[in-house]
Each structure stands twice: as structure tokens, then as C-alpha cells.
Amino acid sequence: MEGNIIALAAALTAFALFLLEHHRRYRLEQKIDHLVHELDCFLWNGETHLAETLGEGRVENLKNQLAAVTEQATHQRRHWKKREERLNQFMENMAHQMKTSLTALQIRVDLAQVKASSPEVQAELDACQNCMERLTGEVGRILECSQLAGQKINMRPERCSVGQLLHRAASLLEPLRKKKGVGIVWELSALSGIPELCLDSYWFSQAVENVIKNAIEHTPADSTVHITAIDCTHSLVLEIRDEGPGIPKDELPCLFERFHRGSYGKAGYGIGLSMARDILKAHHGSIQAGNQKGGGACFLLKLPILEGNRPYEAVREIVREP
């Protein structure tokens, strides 16, 4: 009898230990799942609620280390965000001041053209007028670049033919293409299955125009720029390739930063590719740059196939949250 009681007590003790170990493992799995969820929130949204703990154990130590890393990354992100906001504000103020001065100067040039008495003076004033228009356009581009980076421009999506937008953007660059003696090869057969997408036609055309212009500028005379559309089921990829020297490896990480000119972008002001990145981002898309094996740069513009205005409205609601 006593032996049965001892055996029963041993069995109950073993069962209790089993339940205790099972509960401990369950709590450990819960902690790990919670930690993974917090990391996902941080990686996707830049938000985390991880806090340091006084608990002991490998998981708690790992949580403390991750909390320190995420806090440092969050602090760095806030620092860069404030720096970006200050830069945007400075650029906007500068652009507005320049536009005010340009408007006043424009009025005086117009009055001088009316009063011009000789053809020579009129010709000089016409040259001044052309310079004024070019400068006004550049100031406008700087202002637009700042507003795009600050997410102050709302996209107005409508159903558009991507093929038509591509050809329209290329037609605006026809004088530059002819001057450089560069050809364009179109490979848009994949667009037959994607007749229309919901896009902001003006801004998307601006993004494509900037990238094509960049390709033409870096392609030698009597060579070709290739524009290819790739249907990836849930997204559309536009591949724009040139036959130039390519992009130096040390410039690839900062190629889309504003005002970065380097050896690859030294022909412009360093805002065209930055604008293209911000426009694609506002369309839930992305842009990447790299080099081809045979030489030349390659830009990939990835655009998700979305229907209606709601996806863009959702982005605006998130941006406006305090």
C-alpha cells in the first residue's frame, strides 16, 4: 500500500513538473512571438514599444539589447527627419524669395521690351527673357523637389495608359535626344496585359522624364537607350538602360539623395533622380539603380498595380497623423 502511495506521489510530481515545464516553454514562446512582433513593427513602421526589463535570462537579455538598438535607431531617424524638415523649409523659403525677385525682374524686362527702340536692344532683351524663363523653371523644380520630399503634394490618381505616358515623356526630350544623336528602343509588349493603371499622370510623367533624360545624357552619341516594360503579375517594372560608362560603385548608395551630383550626375543639379524616387514612393512604388554586366546603367521603376484612389488616400491619412 505504501509503495502504491509513493508511486502515485512520484507520478503526480512528474506530471506537475511536466506541466510546469510546458507552461515555462509556453511563456517563453509567447515572449519570443511578442519580441518578433515588436521587431516587425519597428522594421515596417519605424515604431516600437520595446522597453528594457530587469528580468534575467537569455530572452530578457536579448530584449534589452534590441531595445537599446531600436532606441538608438529611432533617435537617429528622428534626427534625420528633423534635419530633412529644416532643409525642406529652407529650400521652400529660398525658392519663394527667388520667385518674388524673379517676378519683379520679369516685369522690368517686359517693360524694357516694350520701350526698346533698336533691334540690337530688343535681341538682348529677348536673350534676357529666355534666361529668366530658364531660371524660373529651375527655381520651380527646386520648390517642387522640396514639397515632394516633405509629402506636401497630394497625388491625384486617375486611370492612365502607361504606354502613352512613357511616349509623352520621351517626346518632351526629343530635342535633347536629337542633339545627342541617341536612339530609343521600346519594348512595351508587356503593357498589352496592363492597358491602364491608376496614376497621377503629371507627376508620374515627371518621374519617367527625369530618368529617361538621365539615361540620354549619359549615353554616348550614336548609341541607344532601352526602355522595357515587365509584367510581374501584381506589379509593373519599367527598365531603363543606357550604354554609358555606368555608375561608380561608391555613388550607388547616395545616387538618389538630393543635390548629389558626383561623377555620374555632374551634368545637372542633383534633384532629378531624387524627385523620381519621391514620386514613385508616393505611388507605393520604388526605384533602384545598378550597372549592367556589359556596361551602362540600369534603372528599375517598380509600380504596384493598384485600383482606385483609396490606396493613395490611405497614405495621405497616415502622413497627416500627428
Side-chain angles (χ1 to χ4, degrees), residues 55-280:
E56 297 182 356
R58 292 182 178 180
V59 174
E60 302 300 330
N61 291 335
L62 176 61
K63 183 176 180 180
N64 288 337
Q65 292 175 9
L66 289 173
V69 171
T70 54
E71 182 62 29
Q72 183 179 2
T74 302
H75 174 75
Q76 188 72 12
R77 182 176 294 180
R78 289 172 182 166
H79 169 73
W80 281 105
K81 185 177 181 181
K82 289 181 180 178
R83 182 180 176 182
E84 185 77 9
E85 289 174 353
R86 289 196 296 268
L87 176 60
N88 289 336
Q89 185 176 7
F90 169 75
M91 288 177 59
E92 289 183 26
N93 292 339
M94 180 186 69
H96 283 299
Q97 291 294 330
M98 292 178 67
K99 287 186 72 173
T100 302
S101 300
L102 285 171
T103 301
L105 187 57
Q106 181 75 59
I107 293 172
R108 285 168 172 76
V109 171
D110 292 340
L111 291 174
Q113 282 184 311
V114 173
K115 298 178 180 179
S117 56
S118 66
E120 292 80 5
V121 175
Q122 186 67 45
E124 291 296 330
L125 290 173
D126 288 341
C128 290
Q129 191 74 266
N130 293 333
C131 292
M132 289 287 299
E133 291 176 358
R134 188 164 60 251
L135 183 57
T136 301
E138 294 300 336
V139 172
R141 278 171 55 82
I142 292 175
L143 182 59
E144 287 180 344
C145 179
S146 175
Q147 291 174 337
L148 280 168
Q151 298 177 323
K152 295 182 179 180
I153 294 179
N154 290 334
M155 298 291 116
R156 303 184 184 278
E158 57 184 351
R159 296 191 67 83
C160 306
S161 168
V162 178
Q164 289 182 2
L165 293 181
L166 288 171
H167 284 289
R168 188 186 308 168
S171 67
L172 296 174
L173 298 170
E174 195 67 11
L176 175 63
R177 186 190 70 79
K178 290 182 177 179
K179 181 180 179 181
K180 286 287 301 279
V182 173
I184 295 181
V185 174
W186 300 90
E187 302 172 24
L188 305 181
S189 57
L191 292 180
S192 59
I194 313 174
E196 290 183 338
L197 284 182
C198 215
L199 303 168
D200 185 302
S201 59
Y202 171 77
W203 286 112
F204 182 73
S205 297
Q206 288 284 310
V208 173
E209 182 182 339
N210 284 336
V211 180
I212 297 177
K213 178 176 180 288
N214 187 82
I216 293 174
E217 288 176 341
H218 292 88
T219 296
D222 300 322
S223 58
T224 305
V225 171
H226 299 264
I227 302 176
T228 305
I230 306 170
D231 184 356
C232 297
T233 307
H234 297 295
S235 61
L236 171 67
V237 176
L238 298 175
E239 184 183 70
I240 300 176
R241 295 175 283 125
D242 63 47
E243 297 179 357
I247 308 168
K249 290 184 178 179
D250 59 335
E251 292 185 20
L252 281 172
C254 51
L255 188 65
F256 297 101
E257 292 181 4
R258 275 184 296 172
F259 306 119
H260 173 77
R261 297 177 71 232
S263 61
Y264 182 77
K266 62 183 179 181
Y269 296 98
I271 62 175
L273 293 178
S274 172
M275 288 181 66
R277 176 202 60 189
D278 292 330
I279 294 169
L280 267 294

Side-chain angles (χ1 to χ4, degrees), residues 29-45:
E29 289 177 358
Q30 276 192 321
K31 288 182 180 180
I32 294 174
D33 289 341
H34 178 72
L35 192 58
V36 170
H37 174 71
E38 292 291 343
L39 285 174
D40 286 340
C41 290
F42 176 73
L43 293 174
W44 285 102
N45 305 319

